[in-house]
Amino acid sequence: MKLPGAGSAIIIGLGIASPALGGSKIPIPIPRPDYDPGTMVVATPDKAASLTESKRTVLRGAPLTLADAVFLGLRNNRSIKSAYIDRIAQKFDLRVAEDRFTPQFSVQGEVARQRIGDVKSTTLGVAPGVTFLTPTGATFDFAWNNSATWNEGGRTASSAAEINVEQPLLRGAGVEVNMAPVQQARLRESINRLRLRATVSETIGSIIFAHRDLLLTQEELKLADDAVVRAEDLLGINQALIISGRMAEMDAVQTEADLETQKLRVLQARQSVETARLALLNLLGLDLSTRIVARETISLKTVDTRVDNLIRVALTERQDYQGQLYVIEQSRLGIVVAKNEQLWDISLFARGRFGGEFASGSPTRNVTEIMGGLRFNFPINDLAKQQQLVQADTGYRGAELQLADIRAGIEMQIRGSVSEVDLLWQQLTVADRSRELAARAIEIEKVKLNAGRSTTFQVRSLEDSLRSAENQLLAARIGYLNALTRLDLQLGTTLDTWQISLKE
């Protein structure tokens, strides 16, 4: 889905790379020259024009397009930064899980000075070793134990290699069971990546809505200014009619009251602009004193809203749906492990010790010890093992039900958004025509007023209708674009629309 201003490819990671042109999956309106909110500029209070002098409110500030806002948000937004900080720990968790079958080296040692009665002795011991687990479940332990003791009676020393091997035959045996923790960690990492994509997508959506809110308030201020100009123009006509003796002076009082009401609406619109500006700056992570003006040339056109195609895209791209598929696979592996835990614990083992021992005044004695056998443990009524299997099974079935619930929710959202988009498109046509007719009606009524065939009351009534039509058209335009943005978020294609690649 191609959003207005979404013409740049952005690479986001722990840093942001430069833009490049890219395409999109679902069409979105392109800018239309005849509707340009960007013609407005924000003004500092000391240079603001006086409405009493029939001048428009001038807003000054740095122009900010939608693409600029998205780029700044990706670079500065605190939610995105926090998500990337979390990714540091998440990636390390995966590294730890994948280190499961890596040999673990260690060195143990001890130096001790001992006194028993009048006998003093010194003991030194060093034992480097390695332990590792194989995917079949076999464990290997190797240690090279070296020790020496000095006392008044002489010195003794020993050096021997010890090897222990154990291979489970039932519980804990098999590649699938032993690889399950690693596979679950990899699935969890995939879920974390999807969550990062969802966080970035939702943040982009929030920035787009905030930018359009600012654009909307700026346009509402412009319409309020237009209403003031028209009210002043009508007041001028009334004064001319009074001077010519064709209108009583008291008949212009209501027109003056309407003018003051429109000036009040201008002040309210300016406050709305300020509120929207602060909300956008907060999302962008910028200084709240920064003066900005939302600028965007907007064009509206109909889009392809075939529901079946959109649902198919959503099921492929939605982070929550894809993440739930990974959760189901994690639950399946949990059942595999739980079933394996129900088996008897039977293992083959072997142990060997090879080395020598030395004592002062005695020859070195070679040491060779070898032992092997079968070890078993048969639980009789261990309900904890059965509990693990029951929990794993219920977790799996619950995950499948949740997937169905997510799918139903996606379809409901897509169908609702499609209906909203179609209805708003129809409203746009009606609102545009209504605005044109309302403006034309005022022109005709003013001609009739000058000719003495109408009244000020009728002109004011038509002015109210025009203001309502203008606001409805503006709301319909922004609402239509926001509906397309919501649809883009619900499809899970926001990052594709803006050509954003997440790099870690």
Side-chain angles (χ1 to χ4, degrees), residues 139-140 155 184 186 190 230 276 290 300 334 393 418 447 462:
T139 56
F140 292 84
R155 179 174 66 90
Q184 288 180 323
R186 290 171 178 170
S190 297
R230 290 195 300 268
T290 305
L300 307 174
D393 182 63
V418 166
V447 172
L462 292 176

Side-chain angles (χ1 to χ4, degrees), residues 44-45 53 72 82 94 112 185 194 199 205 207 218 227 282 292 309 328 400 409 424 435 501:
T44 55
E53 299 174 358
L72 288 171
S82 177
L94 176 62
L194 289 174
T199 297
I207 291 171
Q218 290 175 181
N282 184 55
I292 58 172
N309 290 343
I328 290 176
E400 287 188 322
L424 282 173
R435 192 271 312 266
S501 177

Side-chain angles (χ1 to χ4, degrees), residues 115 177 271 300 383 392 483 496:
R115 176 175 178 177
V177 171
Q271 179 59 43
L300 307 174
L383 293 180
D496 293 332

